[in-house]
Amino acid sequence: QVRMVESGGGSVQAGGSLRLSCAASGYIHRNCMGWFRQAPGKEREGVASIYTLSEDADYDTTDYADSVKGRFTISYDDATDMVYLQMNSLKPEDTAMFYCAAGLVGGARACALATRQISLDYWGQGTQVTVSS
């Protein structure tokens, strides 16, 4: 079964940066990709999403949770078929297991909604991010 594979997690001090990467283990017909996180004892939440309309990144549409706006950046590289999450100015409260997911949706708004509702189809097993104070 095709699934997403995350990498790039690790431990960093507050204020530091990490870049997460995600690739599909096989072909997935998708136009929406999202990053999610789940801290111990908390529900999984959508962090960022990207809707890709064409090979031109200028047409990509992104959406972010309020808690990460201005600090995290999601991007998609059509050439490598990978999605990234650049995380800057990390805080201890960002500590969580981070997951990547993908799916096929009807548009940019549907992609943002699917991410907020944790309803994309293909998931990875996660990569741990730990931020120390």
Side-chain angles (χ1 to χ4, degrees):
Q1 184 175 357
V2 178
R3 62 182 180 88
M4 308 305 289
V5 180
E6 305 94 340
S7 61
S11 297
V12 65
Q13 289 192 328
S17 299
L18 282 173
R19 188 193 195 203
L20 306 183
S21 302
C22 177
S25 63
Y27 176 75
I28 296 176
H29 188 195
R30 65 189 189 277
N31 57 10
C32 176
M33 289 149 282
W35 283 98
F36 305 78
R37 66 185 179 186
Q38 187 166 16
K42 295 188 176 181
E43 293 186 351
R44 189 171 299 188
E45 63 171 343
V47 172
S49 66
I50 185 165
Y51 174 72
T52 59
L53 186 61
S54 73
E55 295 180 356
D56 188 343
D58 289 342
Y59 292 95
D60 293 344
T61 303
T62 58
D63 186 62
Y64 298 92
D66 289 342
S67 59
V68 306
K69 279 181 181 177
R71 300 189 299 124
F72 291 10
T73 302
I74 187 171
S75 62
Y76 173 71
D77 186 334
D78 186 75
T80 60
D81 196 22
M82 292 187 69
V83 60
Y84 302 96
L85 185 68
Q86 178 66 43
M87 305 186 295
N88 299 328
S89 302
L90 283 162
K91 305 174 181 179
E93 51 263 43
D94 294 318
T95 295
M97 183 72 78
F98 279 72
Y99 300 88
C100 170
L104 189 66
V105 299
R109 288 186 179 180
C111 183
L113 185 61
T115 300
R116 292 171 188 267
Q117 294 182 339
I118 325 290
S119 61
L120 292 176
D121 296 321
Y122 300 93
W123 286 82
Q125 294 187 328
T127 184
Q128 178 67 39
V129 171
T130 302
V131 185
S132 58
S133 57

